[in-house]
Amino acid sequence: MPAETYELRCVRYVPDAVRGDFLTIGLLLFRQQPNKQSEPVGTRWTQDWWLVLAFDPTADLELLKASCQELESVLRETMDMRELEKRLGGMIQLTPAFACATADPHTELDELARLYLDHPHAIRSSSAIEYLSRALDLLRSVQTLEGAEKDLVQEAVEDAVSSIQSCQLARAGNE
């Protein structure tokens, strides 16, 4: 089967448009059609919604997921990208299209999802909490670091443990 040309657009969560920080949460793949609008082939979404909370603790995951579902339904209704981007608002943004050629678009989309959406180095187990908890115990026992410096380091480690636990709870609630 000969390779066809496709367009990939990343879906980004952008909680603060002024700062411009973003997290890629989805992919849209379109088949390019000569003299026609591109035809949607498929979508892939992150499975690590808990990372959104790590990225933005104030994020409304239910609203964000509903917005992604709306995006998919709009894709089925219309292919006018300007209309689509208008409906998204500022919280969810699409990147400009990237061209790719493949004979198997669904396999390609799966590969692209692994590249853009999987986070293999993200904290996924209690081993990180164990490690930080032991570090915190060690820090508490150290006598040479005292006063404000020790308090600052101890507070930073405690915040890290708390943050990881919150992310794990959010992840467990979304599985």
Side-chain angles (χ1 to χ4, degrees):
M1 180 179 209
E4 293 185 69
T5 305
Y6 295 85
E7 294 177 352
L8 174 72
R9 287 180 172 249
C10 296
V11 180
R12 293 177 171 171
Y13 172 60
V14 184
D16 185 342
V18 174
R19 282 196 351 224
D21 297 336
F22 67 88
L23 182 67
T24 301
I25 59 171
L27 301 174
L28 310 175
L29 189 66
F30 302 92
R31 177 178 289 115
Q32 289 182 336
Q33 307 250 350
N35 304 322
K36 294 182 185 177
Q37 289 186 339
S38 299
E39 170 191 332
V41 173
T43 59
R44 297 292 184 273
W45 300 100
T46 185
Q47 298 303 304
D48 296 330
W49 288 102
W50 61 275
L51 279 177
V52 172
L53 289 178
F55 179 69
D56 176 16
T58 65
D60 183 340
L61 288 183
E62 296 308 313
L63 175 64
L64 189 56
K65 288 178 184 179
S67 297
C68 293
Q69 289 174 345
E70 181 182 354
L71 172 63
E72 280 196 73
S73 69
V74 170
L75 277 175
R76 287 187 285 273
E77 295 169 16
T78 180
M79 278 310 307
D80 184 353
M81 294 310 285
R82 290 181 301 249
E83 175 67 24
L84 183 61
E85 288 175 330
K86 263 196 316 193
R87 285 190 179 189
L88 290 177
M91 180 177 69
I92 298 178
Q93 297 177 2
L94 298 178
T95 64
F98 299 94
C100 62
T102 183
D104 185 353
H106 295 288
T107 300
E108 182 71 15
L109 190 54
D110 289 339
E111 288 298 317
L112 291 166
R114 276 191 279 285
L115 179 66
Y116 287 99
L117 300 176
D118 286 355
H119 303 279
H121 301 295
I123 297 166
R124 294 181 186 267
S125 70
S126 60
S127 62
I129 292 176
E130 285 179 38
Y131 176 76
L132 285 171
S133 294
R134 282 187 281 158
L136 187 55
D137 290 341
L138 180 61
L139 179 63
R140 287 181 180 136
S141 70
V142 171
Q143 298 302 315
T144 56
L145 183 63
E146 294 183 8
E149 294 86 9
K150 182 176 181 181
D151 292 343
L152 286 173
V153 173
Q154 183 173 327
E155 185 177 316
V157 173
E158 287 171 343
D159 288 347
V161 169
S162 177
S163 177
I164 292 168
Q165 288 172 331
S166 296
C167 288
Q168 286 182 331
L169 287 173
R171 180 177 177 235
N174 289 310
E175 290 182 340

